[in-house]
Amino acid sequence: EAQVTQNPRYLITVTGKKLTVTCSQNMNHEYMSWYRQDPGLGLRQIYYSMNVEVTDKGDVPEGYKVSRKEKRNFPLILESPSPNQTSLYFCASSEYPRHPQETQYFGPGTRLLVL
Amino acid sequence: KQEVTQIPAALSVPEGENLVLNCSFTDSAIYNLQWFRQDPGKGLTSLLLIQSSQREQTSGRLNASLDKSSGRSTLYIAASQPGDSATYLCAVKGPGANSKLTFGKGITLSVRP
């Protein structure tokens, strides 16, 4: 089954404790992206990757890092989480991101609480 | 900067009613517009995608229209059912290199039995 998976689905942590949220897709997609969803703000792009070893900032990259060493994986790293990073995080992927007909496939989301 | 607006934020209707959800965007230079459904605590499911060159798309009881020049889209749901209760998000894809989707804040729909 074609899918985007994220782990963990739920995470409670404390301020300053480094964490990684994994994202994996099995569709051989070149493009991958991370979004965060907050009440009243909607979904906003954090980082994106056009291909292996090619990453760039989205609208809200502060406090986050990403890497793209393999095509299928795009982990989101919070090196020193803070309470304002409490949010619902979504990973997405697509095959031809600039094609007008192309949709993005979303993972199930990771709910993060930083105390 | 692209902005996507969905009003109202919440809507409650009785079962069986036909309804229209509205979406507006400020920059008409888009590749496509998508409507997503999000159930509480869940991910996003793509419902319909309209390319910038198209006027509408249909899937079952759903019909989405696009008027790019006026910056508007509507999602029409026919004969609504309690199972349609969810948050509906509108998103536009711009021509930028990052291929990001710019989302509206969503409309939370409740269909009463």
Side-chain angles (χ1 to χ4, degrees):
Chain A
E1 179 190 355
Q3 59 181 353
V4 179
T5 57
Q6 295 179 227
N7 283 292
R9 295 289 314 279
Y10 305 92
L11 180 60
I12 301 175
T13 189
V14 295
T15 298
K17 185 176 181 181
K18 181 179 179 179
L19 67 92
T20 299
V21 182
T22 65
C23 172
S24 182
Q25 49 91 6
N26 63 359
M27 296 168 279
N28 202 36
H29 285 170
E30 291 191 349
Y31 177 89
M32 298 185 73
S33 178
W34 277 102
Y35 293 85
R36 61 178 288 175
Q37 185 178 31
D38 302 289
L41 295 175
L43 282 98
R44 296 172 293 167
Q45 189 185 54
I46 304 171
Y47 268 95
Y48 67 98
S49 170
M50 299 297 289
N51 212 328
V52 175
E53 301 293 0
V54 181
T55 64
D56 210 342
K57 298 175 181 178
D59 293 325
V60 288
E62 294 78 20
Y64 304 95
K65 285 177 59 176
V66 292
S67 69
R68 188 88 182 273
K69 294 184 171 60
E70 305 164 285
K71 199 171 186 178
R72 64 182 291 128
N73 296 322
F74 190 43
L76 180 69
I77 303 158
L78 286 71
E79 296 220 324
S80 183
S82 62
N84 65 13
Q85 293 178 296
T86 292
S87 188
L88 179 58
Y89 291 87
F90 289 103
C91 180
S93 73
S94 69
E95 185 173 9
Y96 303 116
R98 298 184 193 177
H99 193 285
Q101 205 171 349
E102 184 72 3
T103 187
Q104 290 188 19
Y105 297 85
F106 283 80
T110 295
R111 189 168 292 280
L112 172 65
L113 173 60
V114 183
L115 301 174
Chain B
K1 179 186 173 186
Q2 179 73 267
E3 292 182 3
V4 179
T5 303
Q6 294 182 256
I7 296 173
L11 188 61
S12 179
V13 301
E15 182 177 4
E17 190 163 298
N18 300 324
L19 58 100
V20 174
L21 306 182
N22 293 306
C23 170
S24 62
F25 49 95
T26 55
D27 187 347
S28 62
I30 63 171
Y31 271 8
N32 62 42
L33 181 144
Q34 281 187 261
W35 283 92
F36 290 88
R37 169 182 172 141
Q38 185 177 25
D39 292 287
K42 298 292 178 66
L44 281 70
T45 301
S46 180
L47 298 173
L48 289 165
L49 182 150
I50 312 175
Q51 298 180 49
S52 61
S53 59
Q54 297 175 327
R55 297 284 294 188
E56 66 177 342
Q57 284 288 331
T58 298
S59 176
R61 294 184 293 111
L62 304 180
N63 175 276
S65 68
L66 173 65
D67 184 341
K68 201 172 72 158
S69 61
S70 68
R72 295 176 190 273
S73 175
T74 61
L75 178 66
Y76 175 82
I77 302 177
S80 59
Q81 304 169 358
D84 294 328
S85 298
T87 297
Y88 291 83
L89 296 158
C90 168
V92 296
K93 179 193 285 191
N98 64 9
S99 296
K100 75 174 183 182
L101 295 175
T102 301
F103 286 84
K105 294 182 173 61
I107 298 173
T108 298
L109 172 66
S110 173
V111 180
R112 309 186 301 271

